[in-house]
Amino acid sequence: MISKESTEKYSITKHKAAWGRSIDLDKSEFKDAIRVAKNAFTPTASERWITGLLTANNLLLSACRKDLNIKVGFAASEYQTDECHFVTAFIARSEQSNGIYYIFNKLRISDGLDEGFSIFTVTTQNPNVERGVSRAMQYFINQGNISSYSLTRELRRRTLPKMLTPCVPRCPDESINSKYYSLNYKKGDAFRLTFSVERRK
């Protein structure tokens, strides 16, 4: 199933597979995803690793910049037994901080809630990811979809291909940054974040 949403600057395409199946990317979309990922990540993120992120997913979102008609971002979710796992999200460096990640998170959470999930997970070494998902969760509290959420962090040693960003990532919230100082970025340390939501009764 494919559907589209739009903002002033970007159009968002949503590819969704039925339960028990995964997204089948055509060659053109796959090439776009590899191109954007290579721009977003450092050279330590190999094409093989990127390809692994794009397979076996139940939901894939892509952002296209309207004026240039080029894909500039991708995000994916996988439906596991009892959780919605945010597999990846990457955005071209020229388009970062323009709100695409916030849109991706809202769409992934919305879809996960519709599928009945109350647990959302993501593995990351970037405090901006934690802040971004937390902001999107707050949106759903404000909208009345959920009443609250809790967050737990589990340290995962050597789980990513070294550091994925050109420099150690920091977000505008120092209280979040402080949690990430313990990570050894050069060795690929990361946190497994688990967001548990309480639905409105």
Side-chain angles (χ1 to χ4, degrees), residues 92-164:
R93 293 180 192 177
S94 62
E95 309 302 315
Q96 292 175 7
S97 301
N98 286 348
I100 297 175
Y101 187 58
Y102 184 56
I103 296 169
F104 280 164
N105 284 333
K106 288 200 299 183
L107 291 173
R108 290 190 291 180
I109 293 170
S110 177
D111 199 78
L113 290 172
D114 287 346
E115 293 290 345
F117 290 108
S118 295
I119 298 175
F120 297 82
T121 59
V122 61
T123 298
T124 186
Q125 57 185 198
N126 190 339
N128 287 291
V129 170
E130 178 175 328
R131 179 175 181 266
V133 176
S134 295
R135 286 182 64 228
M137 286 290 179
Q138 187 60 51
Y139 168 83
F140 287 97
I141 291 176
N142 296 340
Q143 292 296 306
N145 303 92
I146 62 176
S147 59
S148 63
Y149 73 91
S150 60
L151 167 62
T152 58
R153 301 177 194 84
E154 179 188 353
L155 179 60
R156 297 286 182 92
R157 298 288 188 191
R158 303 172 185 266
T159 192
L160 295 178
K162 300 184 180 180
M163 189 165 69
L164 297 179

Side-chain angles (χ1 to χ4, degrees), residues 165-176:
T165 49
C167 57
V168 175
R170 292 291 177 255
C171 78
D173 189 335
E174 187 55 32
S175 66
I176 296 176

Side-chain angles (χ1 to χ4, degrees), residues 1-175:
M1 180 179 69
I2 299 176
S3 60
K4 292 191 176 183
E5 297 191 26
S6 186
T7 68
E8 184 175 345
K9 192 172 183 179
Y10 306 101
S11 61
I12 310 295
T13 301
K14 175 180 173 182
H15 301 263
K16 188 170 181 181
W19 270 90
R21 304 189 67 177
S22 57
I23 301 296
D24 184 20
L25 282 179
D26 62 37
K27 289 183 179 180
S28 175
E29 189 107 31
F30 183 78
K31 286 182 179 179
D32 282 336
I34 293 293
R35 170 183 55 78
V36 175
K38 285 186 172 181
N39 177 265
F41 297 135
T42 62
T44 58
S46 67
E47 186 166 321
R48 180 179 179 182
W49 179 77
I50 295 167
T51 299
L53 297 177
L54 297 170
T55 58
N57 294 311
N58 302 93
L59 175 71
L60 180 72
L61 305 170
S62 62
C64 179
R65 183 164 160 171
K66 292 178 181 178
D67 58 341
L68 300 177
N69 194 30
I70 58 172
K71 295 292 177 66
V72 294
F74 289 83
S77 297
E78 180 185 4
Y79 304 148
Q80 300 178 354
T81 303
D82 58 355
E83 67 185 49
C84 177
H85 181 60
F86 293 171
V87 180
T88 190
F90 46 87
I91 299 164
R93 293 180 192 177
S94 62
E95 309 302 315
Q96 292 175 7
S97 301
N98 286 348
I100 297 175
Y101 187 58
Y102 184 56
I103 296 169
F104 280 164
N105 284 333
K106 288 200 299 183
L107 291 173
R108 290 190 291 180
I109 293 170
S110 177
D111 199 78
L113 290 172
D114 287 346
E115 293 290 345
F117 290 108
S118 295
I119 298 175
F120 297 82
T121 59
V122 61
T123 298
T124 186
Q125 57 185 198
N126 190 339
N128 287 291
V129 170
E130 178 175 328
R131 179 175 181 266
V133 176
S134 295
R135 286 182 64 228
M137 286 290 179
Q138 187 60 51
Y139 168 83
F140 287 97
I141 291 176
N142 296 340
Q143 292 296 306
N145 303 92
I146 62 176
S147 59
S148 63
Y149 73 91
S150 60
L151 167 62
T152 58
R153 301 177 194 84
E154 179 188 353
L155 179 60
R156 297 286 182 92
R157 298 288 188 191
R158 303 172 185 266
T159 192
L160 295 178
K162 300 184 180 180
M163 189 165 69
L164 297 179
T165 49
C167 57
V168 175
R170 292 291 177 255
C171 78
D173 189 335
E174 187 55 32
S175 66

